[in-house]
Amino acid sequence: MPSPVEELIDPRLGARGVRLLLKRDDLIDPEIPGNKWRKLKYNIQAARRSGHGRILTFGGAYSNHIRATAAAGALFGLRTVGVIRGEEHLPLNPTLSYAVEQGMTLAYLDRGTYRRKMESDVIGALHRRFGDFYLIPEGGSNGLAVRGCAEIPDEITQDFDFICCPCGTGGTLAGIAAGLHGDQEAIGFSVLKGAGWLNDEIRRLQEDAHAAPRGRWHVNLDYHFGGYAKTKPELLSFVEDFEKRHGLRLDRLYTGKMMYGIFDLAG
């Protein structure tokens, strides 16, 4: 069942002639919400089809991707390994505690090794430690993730000109853009500082999924508020005000930055 689309009525947008629709992917599943489910769906199918009983992936200590992968593994009967950037800190934070509760095994790489996590010697060491596994990259972004996210535009029956999403690893934007039609355009709001590299990464992901770039898109680099997990008072005030007005809680890492950017650009 596709997630619902809801119109957000806000006089600030109405005065500017802007109609804003929300694709409520946060309602897909309480434990595997939004783009996390879309990115994992075809990867889980591929893992099961190829006979892999274990999924290994990477993330930071507060990674939503790590949390969602653990939940998906428990749901579909797959063992999971989360390789975490940095040293182990006890007690575990809520994200990693939840992952362990779902049966995920945690491993840690120092930051220098983590930067080389996709190199053959690091992957080889992980295979020697954990045996056979299906590898999903950090953030879940690969060609299969792009295919999952490419299904989003066709689920929207209303007419639209632009579709916006927060942008971390680029997989969601790559997929959404690939699923667009006609003159529709996708805008990604980077939550990372200095993320000009995302343009090349999105092209690479689309080529991995579809053999060539698809769709119209661009990445806006102006609303990162200092970088990943960084905030500023104006962002926090916007998120608080948005919840009071609309009863929806935006997270300050991703959707809050995107929505701030949308309202700012609409002005």
Side-chain angles (χ1 to χ4, degrees):
M1 177 71 68
S3 61
V5 176
E6 302 172 355
E7 183 168 5
L8 185 83
I9 305 298
D10 192 299
R12 296 170 293 178
L13 297 177
R16 299 161 188 166
V18 174
R19 185 183 184 210
L20 181 61
L21 305 171
L22 303 181
K23 185 77 164 77
R24 294 297 305 274
D25 268 17
D26 57 308
L27 302 178
I28 289 177
D29 185 283
E31 305 303 333
I32 319 171
N35 67 336
K36 301 307 178 190
W37 168 245
R38 295 185 186 275
K39 288 181 172 184
L40 287 169
K41 178 172 66 170
Y42 291 123
N43 276 289
I44 289 171
Q45 289 181 9
R48 299 177 75 180
R49 189 166 54 245
S50 58
H52 290 86
R54 179 183 289 109
I55 288 174
L56 182 142
T57 193
F58 301 90
Y62 293 89
S63 167
N64 289 329
H65 169 66
I66 289 289
R67 190 182 194 280
T69 301
L75 180 62
F76 292 101
L78 294 168
R79 297 186 297 277
T80 55
V81 177
V83 181
I84 309 303
R85 179 180 63 249
E87 305 299 324
E88 180 181 25
H89 293 283
L90 297 175
L92 298 175
N93 67 41
T95 297
L96 298 184
S97 292
Y98 175 86
V100 170
E101 289 168 4
Q102 298 303 305
M104 176 174 274
T105 299
L106 301 181
Y108 297 85
L109 292 179
D110 66 80
R111 293 179 182 273
T113 306
Y114 191 89
R115 284 192 290 271
R116 301 191 302 108
K117 59 186 175 294
M118 298 304 288
E119 295 182 10
S120 59
D121 63 321
V122 178
I123 298 299
L126 291 170
H127 274 296
R128 288 191 293 275
R129 180 174 177 184
F130 295 107
D132 181 57
F133 55 75
Y134 180 90
L135 179 64
I136 298 179
E138 183 176 25
S141 291
N142 59 12
L144 291 176
V146 169
R147 292 186 179 185
C149 292
E151 297 173 352
I152 294 174
D154 279 343
E155 294 179 7
I156 304 171
T157 58
Q158 299 88 340
D159 292 333
F160 66 90
D161 300 309
F162 298 95
I163 182 167
C164 302
C165 69
C167 205
T169 56
T172 303
L173 180 61
I176 288 174
L180 294 178
H181 303 283
D183 292 332
Q184 294 170 338
E185 182 174 346
I187 303 173
F189 288 82
S190 174
V191 302
L192 309 173
K193 186 177 181 179
W197 53 268
L198 274 170
N199 291 291
D200 289 337
E201 178 64 5
I202 290 164
R203 292 188 191 94
R204 185 193 69 78
L205 286 166
Q206 288 193 334
E207 289 170 355
D208 188 16
H210 302 292
R214 290 187 178 184
R216 300 177 60 193
W217 54 268
H218 75 272
V219 180
N220 188 301
L221 302 175
D222 297 333
Y223 298 97
H224 55 75
F225 291 91
Y228 184 72
K230 301 291 182 63
T231 64
K232 291 186 178 181
E234 57 266 35
L235 173 63
L236 300 179
S237 296
F238 175 84
V239 168
E240 182 179 356
D241 178 69
F242 191 92
E243 184 174 16
K244 289 178 180 177
R245 288 173 182 261
H246 303 294
L248 294 174
R249 183 68 177 176
L250 304 171
D251 76 86
R252 61 183 186 176
L253 301 185
Y254 289 95
T255 56
K257 294 180 178 183
M258 173 195 70
M259 195 65 71
Y260 185 104
I262 290 172
F263 272 74
D264 190 48
L265 292 172

